[in-house]
Amino acid sequence: MAVSWCGSNFGPYSPGMRVHLDVEKCQGHNRCYALAPELFDVDDYGQAVLLGDGSVTPDLEDKARLAASNCPEYAITITDS
Ligand code: F3S
């Protein structure tokens, strides 16, 4: 009997880590940009903006965690699937 991967949570594709930015909480401390410029930029008002769609490649996971843990406003969260 064939086994289908359809509908499984353990399929061959895993979206991996994602970083999320709550722009309402951001107060422009810019630690995220200083620690992870591959993931964050700042706009003309000094507020953080996410680069890309929030996907974090494995080589940037440590920087994403560092940015999240160093934001004094708790504006950055990480999800890992
Ligand atoms: Fe904003 Fe926190 Fe970065 S306050 S600029 S998200 S360190």
Side-chain angles (χ1 to χ4, degrees), residues 22 24-29 31 68 70-76:
D22 185 338
E24 299 295 322
K25 291 182 178 177
C26 176
Q27 295 296 313
H29 294 283
R31 293 183 186 178
N70 278 277
C71 175
E73 307 298 334
Y74 305 102
I76 299 167

Side-chain angles (χ1 to χ4, degrees), residues 24-68:
E24 299 295 322
K25 291 182 178 177
C26 176
Q27 295 296 313
H29 294 283
N30 292 335
R31 293 183 186 178
C32 53
Y33 173 67
L35 293 167
E38 301 90 344
L39 299 170
F40 299 94
D41 201 353
V42 291
D43 66 15
D44 292 341
Y45 302 99
Q47 302 295 110
V49 292
L50 262 183
L51 295 176
D53 64 357
S55 299
V56 180
T57 55
D59 58 312
L60 293 176
E61 290 182 356
D62 286 346
K63 284 192 171 187
R65 290 189 188 95
L66 195 61

